[in-house]
Each structure stands twice: as C-alpha cells, then as structure tokens.
Amino acid sequence: MACFNSTVINAPVDQVWKTLRDFHNLDWGTSIVERCEPQGKAHPAEPGAGRRLNDAIAETLVALDDLERRLAYRIEDDSALPDGLRLNGCISEVRAIPVTGDNTTVVTWSSRWDSAQGDAQGFLDTVYKALLADLRNHCERNPA
C-alpha cells in the first residue's frame, strides 16, 4: 500500500532542502505539528535521529542524501495514531527537486507500508497535503 503527494514551491531548491533536512525542526508545519520533540542522541541530519510529533507519533530518520535532496523516515509501529489507525512497516520519503531553468522546486512526499488497520492512505494523504501547503507557505514567505 502507498500514497503520494506533491507541490510546487516558488523558492530555490537549496532553501527548501535546508528547511526539510533538519529532522528535529518542524516549526514550519503549523497546521499539523503542535510539538516536535527530538528523541535519542543522533544529530538531526544523521540516520537514527528520532522525533515524536504531538506526543503521539514516533518517527526515525533512516536516510538523508544531500546530493539527491532526499530523506526517508520510518513511522514506528507503536505510534499512537488517531481513530485506532495502526501502520506496520511504514517508510516515508520526502524529495526536493529543482525545476530546470526556473527558481522553483517540486517537493514530493510519499509513504509505503506493509499493512494497516484503518484508512492509512486517507490519514497520510491529509497529513502530507497539509504539511506540503505549510512548507510552501513558509518557504515562499521566508526567502533565503
């Protein structure tokens, strides 16, 4: 099972990537994230870095590639998701891709999972659409 969302941001890819790559900072995700607490001792740009969102969802960074401007993280199976939703083996990926000949960026946010109880795709699509809108607003209002 999987979901995929994307947006175009009127900002340079380096600015967008700088915002995304700090795994411990989701201050820009104001419509979804009320609280983002670092977990563990790993640096926020190092695989193994953890975070807990809104005292409920635990995520662990599994890959970060500055050359490809891509990060991947695992939503931990024991996360307290709403409405009894359970995800097993969920890996999410975020990419920032420059638009050729333009000063804009395409950002994709996707997830795949082994199994779920409840409407995982509906939940994740809603979250990712909101976060992408927040990211777009943040980057377009705060030029580098």
Side-chain angles (χ1 to χ4, degrees):
M1 298 182 192
C3 69
F4 179 88
N5 291 275
S6 63
T7 194
V8 176
I9 298 175
N10 292 315
V13 70
D14 290 335
Q15 175 193 350
V16 175
W17 179 240
K18 182 179 177 185
T19 301
L20 286 169
R21 75 181 303 278
D22 183 352
F23 194 66
H24 289 160
N25 184 0
L26 281 171
D27 290 348
W28 51 267
T30 56
S31 70
I32 295 289
V33 180
E34 296 172 9
R35 186 176 176 144
C36 178
E37 293 181 43
Q39 304 289 300
K41 296 181 181 183
H43 184 274
E46 173 182 304
R51 66 184 178 198
R52 183 166 296 275
L53 306 178
N54 300 338
D55 298 321
I57 301 172
E59 300 175 336
T60 304
L61 186 66
V62 295
L64 188 140
D65 185 326
D66 284 320
L67 185 61
E68 291 187 11
R69 296 180 189 97
R70 177 186 76 85
L71 65 84
Y73 62 94
R74 177 178 56 248
I75 299 175
E76 300 300 337
D77 293 349
D78 63 350
S79 292
L81 301 171
D83 302 323
L85 176 65
R86 302 281 303 168
L87 287 169
N88 296 311
C90 185
I91 300 291
S92 298
E93 182 178 273
V94 183
R95 295 193 69 183
I97 305 161
V99 176
T100 304
D102 202 338
N103 215 16
T104 61
T105 304
V106 173
V107 177
T108 63
W109 206 313
S110 62
S111 285
R112 64 186 185 283
W113 55 94
D114 298 329
S115 64
Q117 294 175 343
D119 183 12
Q121 184 171 357
F123 171 74
L124 292 172
D125 279 342
T126 299
V127 168
Y128 297 158
K129 285 176 185 175
L131 286 171
L132 286 167
D134 287 345
L135 179 65
R136 184 177 58 248
N137 290 335
H138 172 80
C139 289
E140 290 178 358
R141 290 184 179 152
N142 300 292

